[in-house]
């Protein structure tokens, strides 16, 4: 697959400021998303720059973050219910004795 074919599959690029030499310019770009590689800053920005661009070849659905939070809440609720059931079982065992 050619570089153009690979780049055409990339939906966006995410800038990551990392390393021991993070300057204000690098930090200003940290976490920013760019639609094309041409829009992103040229790297390295400075000597010893450890920043990098993450290619993202998929899109996250608009509601996914909400859905994940909902699932986490449901998981916590299920664990609470499981704990309550275990507690009720113990109480029931004590009543039967």
């Amino acid at each position: 697959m050619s570089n153009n074919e690979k780049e055409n599959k990339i939906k966006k690029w995410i800038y990551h400021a990392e390393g021991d030499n993070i300057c204000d310019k690098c930090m200003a770009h940290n976490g920013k998303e760019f639609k094309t590689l041409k829009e992103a800053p040229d790297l390295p920005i400075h000597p010893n720059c450890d920043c990098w661009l993450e290619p993202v070849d998929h899109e996250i659905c608009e509601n996914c973050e909400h859905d994940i939070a909902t699932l986490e809440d449901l998981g916590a609720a299920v664990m609470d219910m499981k704990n309550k059931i275990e507690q009720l079982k113990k109480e029931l065992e004590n009543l039967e004795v």
Side-chain angles (χ1 to χ4, degrees):
M1 184 178 292
S2 72
N3 284 341
N4 281 343
E5 288 175 315
K6 287 180 186 175
E7 191 165 328
N8 287 337
K9 291 185 179 197
I10 302 299
K11 304 288 185 199
K12 63 184 172 185
W13 298 84
I14 302 174
Y15 188 98
H16 295 277
E18 291 186 2
D20 296 330
N21 299 299
I22 301 175
C23 69
D24 291 339
K25 286 183 182 179
C26 292
M27 193 51 78
H29 294 298
N30 191 40
K32 283 188 179 176
E33 297 179 1
F34 301 92
K35 290 182 181 179
T36 67
L37 196 53
K38 290 178 184 176
E39 292 177 11
D42 290 331
L43 293 176
I45 290 180
H46 57 82
N48 300 317
C49 181
D50 291 325
C51 298
W52 59 285
L53 292 165
E54 173 189 4
V56 179
D57 62 357
H58 59 280
E59 300 228 7
I60 297 176
C61 68
E62 293 176 14
N63 295 323
C64 286
E65 288 183 24
H66 176 267
D67 293 344
I68 290 169
T70 300
L71 289 172
E72 288 171 348
D73 290 344
L74 287 172
V78 167
M79 289 305 295
D80 286 344
M81 290 173 68
K82 180 183 175 196
N83 291 336
K84 287 178 183 176
I85 290 169
E86 292 299 321
Q87 183 181 1
L88 289 171
K89 282 182 182 178
K90 287 179 185 177
E91 290 177 14
L92 184 59
E93 287 173 2
N94 289 337
L95 289 175
E96 292 176 350
V97 174

